[in-house]
């Protein structure tokens, strides 16, 4: 992954946003300032997710944008900022402290006034508003620390339970609390769908990012999947091993597809006003997964979905939202 904003650019955005939050005199002004900054983060870093979130109702969309910003910066710490491991851990320590501080405050303005980062402060407000279990974000930050000192994962279950849970599943749970269920009795099924979609998305990202992860000294391909092709973490980097490694990727792509299908089956568990956005998310990222599974260009090729193909799987009746989104209207 290429560096989009460096640390100073992030800090500048945080300083400017904190000032707007603190100067907000009307009740909703501090939250609106935080949400605008979070929207900029999402638009800058993820074209695909930015597009699909345009189909959410405004109140929920702003909360989702804040969630994205709250997970984006810690991910940048461990993935792209050119800093040593010790500094990565210190930066995660500071972010963790800001989150804990925000939980004890009554609003984003109060959290920022007490010294918390604006994005952690806004996320704390989302957690309180929606009753999101506080431990979920702690699990996310713990997963980020695993990226500082990466280890191999022996099985798919090991990968899902001990890394994907913290890096993606709990993020899906955040979203489930914001989206809401179609009825109170359906919430467990909504959480199950969120888990399936999170696993599918994370596996797709792993498959797309194999070369980048290798450069960072990480392997998110289960050792037993590699072993079934006669490979190990060490030998998988051998150019002669690429045909076997491609078979591993295709196998994991099929696993991801199973989770996309499971999430889609439970789509009706979510509140009706969010289903179009969730379906769009499934459709857009599923395309990427299918491209990876069918690719003939090999593991070192980073697969992408052209914008025109993304549009083809979005709901045609909602296309009008997209130009408005890029003009800043929604």
């Amino acid at each position: 992954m290429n560096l989009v904003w460096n640390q100073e650019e992030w800090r500048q955005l945080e300083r400017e946003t904190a000032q707007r939050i603190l100067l907000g005199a009307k009740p909703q002004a501090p939250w609106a300032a935080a949400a605008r900054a979070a929207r900029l983060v999402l638009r800058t870093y993820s074209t695909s997710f930015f597009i699909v979130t345009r189909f959410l109702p405004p109140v929920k969309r702003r909360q989702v944008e804040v969630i994205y910003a709250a997970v984006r910066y810690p991910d940048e710490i461990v993935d792209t900022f050119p800093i040593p491991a010790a500094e990565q851990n210190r930066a995660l320590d500071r972010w963790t402290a800001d989150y804990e501080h925000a939980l004890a405050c009554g609003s984003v303005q109060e959290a920022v006034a007490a010294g918390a980062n604006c994005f952690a402060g806004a996320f704390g407000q989302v957690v309180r508003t929606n009753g999101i279990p506080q431990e979920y974000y702690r699990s996310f930050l713990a997963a980020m620390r695993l990226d500082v000192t990466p280890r191999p994962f022996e099985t798919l279950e090991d990968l899902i339970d001990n890394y994907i849970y913290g890096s993606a599943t709990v993020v899906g749970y955040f979203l489930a609390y914001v989206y809401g269920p179609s009825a109170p009795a359906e919430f467990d099924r909504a959480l199950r769908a969120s888990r399936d979609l999170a696993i599918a998305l994370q596996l797709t990202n792993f498959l797309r990012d194999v070369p980048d992860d290798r450069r960072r000294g990480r392997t998110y391909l289960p050792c037993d999947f590699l072993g079934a092709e006669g490979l190990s973490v060490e030998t998988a980097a051998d150019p002669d091993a690429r045909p076997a490694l491609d078979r591993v990727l295709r196998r994991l792509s099929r696993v991801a597809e199973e989770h996309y299908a499971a999430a889609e089956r439970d789509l009706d568990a979510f509140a009706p006003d969010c289903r179009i956005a969730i379906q769009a998310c499934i459709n857009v990222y599923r395309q990427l997964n299918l491209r990876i599974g069918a690719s003939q260009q090999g593991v070192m090729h980073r697969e992408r979905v052209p914008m025109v193909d993304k549009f083809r799987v979005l709901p045609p009746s909602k296309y009008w939202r997209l130009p408005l989104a890029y003009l800043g209207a929604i």
Side-chain angles (χ1 to χ4, degrees):
M1 183 183 294
N2 294 324
L3 187 68
V4 178
W5 289 339
N6 61 35
Q7 285 177 287
E8 182 50 37
E9 288 170 318
W10 271 95
R11 289 170 182 149
Q12 181 64 25
L13 176 62
E14 292 161 11
R15 287 192 294 266
E16 293 171 355
T17 305
Q19 185 175 31
R20 295 189 186 102
I21 289 170
L22 293 173
L23 292 175
K26 295 181 179 180
Q28 290 301 313
W31 166 256
R36 282 195 301 273
R39 181 181 185 276
L40 177 60
V41 173
L42 173 55
R43 179 175 169 174
T44 301
Y45 277 88
S46 179
T47 301
S48 295
F49 197 56
F50 179 77
I51 288 172
V52 302
T53 54
R54 297 314 93 189
F55 302 115
L56 289 169
V59 171
K60 294 181 179 181
R61 183 172 66 237
R62 293 184 190 103
Q63 293 184 76
V64 170
E65 289 165 347
V66 166
I67 289 171
Y68 183 87
V71 300
R72 179 76 264 165
Y73 186 79
D75 197 57
E76 291 299 289
I77 290 171
V78 299
D79 273 2
T80 61
F81 292 159
I83 55 178
E87 179 55 28
Q88 289 176 330
N89 278 317
R90 285 192 292 271
L92 290 172
D93 287 343
R94 291 190 293 271
W95 194 270
T96 300
D98 283 356
Y99 169 64
E100 297 296 340
H101 206 112
L103 293 177
C105 295
S107 69
V108 60
Q109 191 173 49
E110 184 182 337
V112 171
N117 175 282
C118 62
F119 296 121
F123 179 66
Q125 186 164 321
V126 172
V127 169
R128 289 190 303 275
T129 299
N130 295 281
I132 298 172
Q134 297 175 4
E135 193 59 36
Y136 285 163
Y137 194 65
R138 297 178 185 125
S139 295
F140 169 77
L141 293 172
M144 295 302 97
R145 291 184 189 277
L146 285 177
D147 283 337
V148 178
T149 53
R151 70 167 179 87
F153 296 92
E154 295 301 321
T155 64
L156 179 62
E157 292 72 20
D158 180 22
L159 179 64
I160 290 173
D161 293 344
N162 295 308
Y163 183 79
I164 292 178
Y165 173 78
S167 68
T169 302
V170 295
V171 180
Y173 292 163
F174 302 158
L175 298 177
Y177 276 85
V178 170
Y179 295 154
S182 57
E186 295 292 344
F187 189 57
D188 285 346
R189 197 156 66 92
L191 288 176
R192 183 176 71 192
S194 296
R195 178 181 183 272
D196 278 315
L197 183 53
I199 291 170
L201 294 171
Q202 188 67 291
L203 288 176
T204 298
N205 286 337
F206 289 159
L207 296 176
R208 180 196 59 194
D209 294 341
V210 167
D212 290 339
D213 289 330
R214 180 180 293 173
R215 189 181 68 252
R216 299 179 184 119
R218 304 174 191 166
T219 300
Y220 298 114
L221 306 177
C223 293
D224 59 344
F225 278 45
L226 293 171
E229 294 293 342
L231 301 175
S232 66
V233 171
E234 293 74 24
T235 62
D238 190 328
D240 293 336
R242 286 184 185 172
L245 193 57
D246 288 343
R247 291 192 293 272
V248 173
L249 265 63
R250 286 193 287 272
R251 182 180 173 188
L252 273 175
S253 175
R254 292 192 294 271
V255 173
E257 171 55 29
E258 292 170 1
H259 285 282
Y260 283 116
E264 191 170 44
R265 286 194 297 271
D266 284 329
L267 185 62
D268 64 326
F270 293 100
D273 63 0
C274 297
R275 290 178 197 163
I276 290 176
I278 300 168
Q279 183 69 68
C281 181
I282 292 171
N283 291 347
V284 168
Y285 286 93
R286 199 179 214 169
Q287 272 198 106
L288 176 59
N289 187 64
L290 292 173
R291 280 175 171 267
I292 292 169
S295 176
Q296 299 300 310
Q297 298 189 64
V299 67
M300 300 310 290
H301 170 72
R302 183 182 172 91
E303 197 66 52
R304 298 180 185 276
V305 178
M307 187 66 75
V308 65
D309 290 336
K310 293 178 183 178
F311 285 157
R312 287 193 184 111
V313 297
L314 295 175
S317 64
K318 304 293 184 180
Y319 277 171
W320 62 270
R321 289 177 175 265
L322 300 180
L324 289 177
Y326 281 95
L327 289 170
I330 61 173

